Amino acid sequence: MRVKSHSDLLGGLTLFAIAAGSIMALSDLPSGTTGAMGPAYLPRAFAAGLGVIGIGQSVYAFMRNGPPVGNVPLRPIIMVLVALGVFAAGIERLGLLLSSFALLAIASAALPGRLEASSILRILIVSAVGSAAAALLFVVAFGLPMPAFPRL
Amino acid sequence: MDTISHLALGFGVAFGTDNLLYCFIGALLGTLIGVLPGLGPLATVAMLLPITFSLPPTGALIMLSGIYYGAQYGGSTTAILVNLPGEASSFVTSLDGYQMARQGRAGPALAIAAIGSFFAGCVATLAIAILAPPLSQLARQFGAPEYFALLMLGLVASVVLASGSLIKALAMVLLGLLLSSVGMDVAGYSRMTFGILDLDDGLDFVTLAMGMFGIAEILRNLSTPQEETSVLKEKIRGLMPTRRDLRDAGPAIVRGTALGTVLGVLPGGGALLASFGSYMIEKRVSKEPETFGKGNIRGVAAPESANNAGAQTSFIPLLTLGMPGNAMMAMMMGAMMLLGVQPGPLVMTQQPDLFWGIVASMWIGNLMLVIINLPLIGIWVRLLRVPYSIMFPAVLLLCGIGVYSIGNSALAVLEMALFGILGFMLFKLRYEVAPLILGFVLGDLIETNLRRALLISNGDFGILVKSPISIGLLGFAALLLVITIFPKVRSAREVAFQEES
């Protein structure tokens, strides 16, 4: 037995995991009957369908060659997640100016390639300009209800 | 003539100063974001959705459709100028459009795209005005079983038209349905909320769409090696097409418009099929098919007209039947529901000024695109020269601010990030997201109608195939599936989608 298609296996297992997780999360809700459906009737059916396809895809992965997954660079994913996470954590207390500066600066590091001192300086300048523009545009001009500056 | 009085009502609404302004802003912003390489219309509309929410419903929807056409046109601009189509349907435009640009004829290419789109917009607006009343009349006879059958047809069409494996598309529909059932059901049970109170209202549609399209698209672009984008170095000489250009392109525009208008109405139809189909037709009827792909103006005129006509007539099933034919319309439907408008046959009778105002604003939006875009081409070109390393953090920030501003919820920003990563993973594993969005938007309606139908029949599934309307709709859905599974169609479908990737 050799895995012939890693993408099918990974996809199949992911689907199966989502389905299994959903069915577990639904475990204490009633299904009801077909004539009088309970809250879990259809979600269970959807999850069951998803799980069957997940198993099917996983089995299929041993039988037929599929496209390779290709390399998944982790850096952009992590950087984008961190950038948005910091933004979300900061927006209410630190205000739009600082949190968007953080988002822009962190996200700029998501591009592959080594960060030289000169490019770091450039990133900081561009991020500062960008966050000032964002604060002016969204808080001052559009009047969105979010603070621009840190709440002391 | 009802049609004329309806349109008169609509133009009365759309020509109001406020609405005219919303339409203008929408078209401008849509083009501005849509022009950015790598952001297709879906991502653009998802990103700009939040800014419409503070407006009154009519104004918001007018702005939204402005954004949609702007995004479409912006995508074509990018396809012509940098050969970086944001989505499959503008890929066709890039075949001849980019070649024209390289020959120094970017101006005429962009102009003919705008003129063709405008002509298509006129015809499509008229088509909506004529077709919508009888269709919504029909839809008013729908009970729960018929509506359920219609929704099934929509889902099947989205599966059939997804590129790649049918099974994977089916899995995505199911995942969308499953995600839509998060939150409270009609009887007040919390489902799959893991005790998080915010989730009782269900997952937010805009958050999902922005994650799956906006963030995932950024991740996609970041993970593919950065190619030197070759933004046109040549100066754009002369904007106006020559008389010969117009003579060449004219018939192509008419043919493209006709095909697009028809395909747009069909479930699952819309821009993509229309632009591919019309390009193929032009190549077939041309006396010199070998010039296609080398800068033939018809290769720009036909798909752009078809694309736009289809984009517009795909509103018909949404506005009259309440059934979105494709992912973009699913997004429109999600936005409408957030604005408190339930798309369906009742919109036209209960809110005629909203309905006809939107229809009229489609025409105005198309006119504005011609007016805005041609003089602004210089700005778009400059925008295209902005390096990606500066552009994508800005786009990410726009997504973050946008999704936060909907409900001032920091949790929504995190949700969006997670959906973005999920969307990117699905893309890497060759699952298409469009059916997921359709399943997500239709999930509640499917559940409500199925539950209602089976409650009436006391659990007998026979009620779903009792009336001729539901038999017809389900039969059509079954036929679509069977046809797709046939080996011959299957290989043709694979070829068609191959060309696109």
Side-chain angles (χ1 to χ4, degrees):
Chain A
M1 289 287 268
R2 241 189 76 245
V3 180
K4 287 188 174 162
S5 166
H6 288 275
S7 62
D8 284 340
L9 184 63
L10 193 57
L13 290 179
T14 311
L15 295 185
F16 182 77
I18 294 175
S22 310
I23 287 182
M24 276 198 283
L26 290 166
S27 61
D28 46 2
L29 291 174
S31 269
T33 62
T34 311
M37 287 185 188
Y41 190 101
L42 282 178
R44 265 197 194 118
F46 299 147
L50 200 61
V52 169
I53 295 180
I55 295 172
Q57 291 283 312
S58 311
V59 172
Y60 199 59
F62 290 95
M63 287 157 42
R64 216 182 87 171
N65 290 321
V69 181
N71 62 330
V72 180
L74 283 179
R75 180 157 145 193
I77 298 182
I78 292 172
M79 284 308 186
V80 165
L81 188 61
V82 171
L84 286 171
V86 169
F87 177 80
I91 179 84
E92 258 143 42
R93 296 236 186 87
L94 297 179
L96 184 64
L97 191 65
L98 285 182
S99 43
S100 53
F101 175 78
L103 183 150
L104 291 174
I106 299 171
S108 301
L111 273 178
R114 258 175 63 99
L115 286 175
E116 311 287 340
S118 63
S119 58
I120 289 179
L121 187 67
R122 202 194 56 152
I123 286 175
L124 291 180
I125 294 173
V126 171
S127 307
V129 174
S131 54
L136 275 177
L137 186 65
F138 291 101
V139 182
V140 180
F142 284 3
L144 290 187
M146 51 180 83
F149 300 106
R151 275 184 198 161
L152 299 173
Chain B
M1 274 302 278
D2 269 357
T3 309
I4 292 174
S5 65
H6 286 149
L7 283 177
L9 170 67
F11 278 105
V13 174
F15 271 121
T17 333
D18 288 0
N19 290 338
L20 216 51
L21 186 70
Y22 296 146
C23 186
F24 173 78
I25 296 176
L28 189 66
L29 284 180
T31 319
L32 188 75
I33 305 285
V35 147
L36 301 177
L39 287 178
L42 281 168
T44 305
V45 175
M47 275 182 57
L48 293 173
L49 267 181
I51 62 167
T52 62
F53 288 156
S54 56
L55 306 178
T58 308
L61 287 172
I62 286 177
M63 190 186 225
L64 207 56
S65 33
I67 292 173
Y68 175 33
Y69 304 126
Q72 290 262 352
Y73 191 74
S76 316
T77 308
T78 320
I80 290 173
L81 292 178
V82 250
N83 199 15
L84 271 182
E87 54 136 25
S89 70
S90 49
F91 165 76
V92 184
T93 306
S94 71
L95 292 176
D96 281 275
Y98 184 61
Q99 292 306 320
M100 282 183 72
R102 284 185 51 184
Q103 295 157 14
R105 303 205 335 117
L110 287 164
I112 218 72
I115 294 168
S117 296
F118 178 64
F119 176 78
C122 296
V123 173
T125 306
L126 212 57
I128 296 178
I130 293 168
L131 277 178
L135 266 177
S136 64
Q137 203 89 47
L138 177 75
R140 240 168 287 160
Q141 302 163 12
F142 281 19
E146 287 82 12
Y147 201 39
F148 175 76
L150 180 72
L151 295 168
M152 280 327 231
L153 174 61
L155 287 186
V156 166
S158 83
V159 167
V160 167
L161 286 165
S163 53
S165 131
L166 281 181
I167 292 288
K168 286 183 170 180
L170 182 63
M172 287 300 96
V173 168
L174 286 169
L175 184 56
L177 290 169
L178 193 60
L179 287 173
S180 80
S181 56
V182 172
M184 264 202 247
D185 83 331
V186 275
Y189 287 97
S190 294
R191 303 189 289 198
M192 297 183 278
T193 57
F194 302 99
I196 302 173
L197 282 180
D198 276 359
L199 285 183
D200 270 349
D201 296 336
L203 295 168
D204 184 54
F205 170 74
V206 184
T207 317
L208 180 82
M210 284 177 83
M212 292 267 173
F213 294 118
I215 306 291
E217 224 153 282
I218 293 175
L219 289 173
R220 264 169 71 171
N221 290 330
L222 284 176
S223 72
T224 42
Q226 296 293 304
E227 291 163 39
E228 244 342 276
T229 50
S230 49
V231 182
L232 215 55
K233 300 269 167 15
E234 296 92 19
K235 224 175 148 55
I236 297 178
R237 283 174 274 133
L239 205 56
M240 279 344 267
T242 60
R243 195 163 295 170
R244 199 180 143 224
D245 286 339
L246 286 175
R247 213 175 34 234
D248 278 351
I253 289 176
V254 175
R255 280 190 291 264
T257 302
L259 185 73
T261 306
V262 174
L263 285 182
V265 185
L266 300 178
L272 173 63
L273 268 186
S275 54
F276 270 93
S278 67
Y279 190 77
M280 249 116 67
I281 290 179
E282 285 313 310
K283 227 168 148 175
R284 192 69 50 83
V285 300
S286 167
K287 286 191 196 90
E288 22 181 29
E290 69 282 355
T291 58
F292 279 86
K294 290 177 188 146
N296 190 321
I297 197 161
R298 290 184 176 188
V300 177
E304 278 301 300
S305 318
N307 190 339
N308 206 46
Q312 209 159 319
T313 52
S314 59
F315 270 104
I316 295 178
L318 175 65
L319 291 175
T320 58
L321 308 177
M323 195 216 34
N326 53 38
M328 180 58 86
M329 288 304 120
M331 201 136 78
M332 290 289 168
M333 183 167 179
M336 289 173 94
M337 293 196 290
L338 286 174
L339 290 162
V341 179
Q342 178 67 48
L346 295 179
V347 177
M348 199 188 304
T349 42
Q350 289 178 352
Q351 292 159 291
D353 44 340
L354 177 110
F355 182 90
W356 294 106
I358 296 173
V359 172
S361 74
M362 294 174 178
W363 184 82
I364 297 174
N366 276 302
L367 180 65
M368 272 182 189
L369 283 179
V370 177
I371 300 172
I372 304 174
N373 284 307
L374 296 180
L376 291 185
I377 284 174
I379 295 183
W380 305 146
V381 172
R382 217 160 303 154
L383 204 60
L384 285 170
R385 296 208 173 108
V386 174
Y388 197 67
S389 62
I390 292 179
M391 194 189 90
F392 87 88
V395 172
L396 199 64
L397 179 61
L398 285 182
C399 291
I401 295 177
V403 85
Y404 174 76
S405 68
I406 301 169
N408 281 343
S409 152
L411 184 69
V413 181
L414 291 180
E415 265 175 52
M416 174 184 73
L418 293 178
F419 281 131
I421 292 171
L422 179 62
F424 175 66
M425 247 182 83
L426 292 173
F427 161 77
K428 273 287 180 188
L429 298 172
R430 318 230 164 183
Y431 286 85
E432 215 187 317
V433 187
L436 186 155
I437 295 289
L438 220 57
F440 183 79
V441 170
L442 296 184
D444 276 353
L445 288 170
I446 285 180
E447 177 166 23
T448 316
N449 284 288
L450 185 61
R451 273 171 103 156
R452 195 177 293 156
L454 290 173
L455 194 65
I456 299 169
S457 74
N458 214 350
D460 178 10
F461 281 101
I463 192 170
L464 300 177
V465 287
K466 228 169 195 165
S467 82
I469 297 180
S470 36
I471 294 175
L473 290 168
L474 287 174
F476 187 42
L479 190 73
L480 265 180
L481 263 183
V482 170
I483 292 176
T484 325
I485 296 168
F486 259 122
K488 202 167 174 193
V489 182
R490 208 158 139 182
S491 57
R493 178 172 167 271
E494 266 153 31
V495 171
F497 283 119
Q498 213 109 69
E499 256 182 73
E500 146 203 339
S501 52

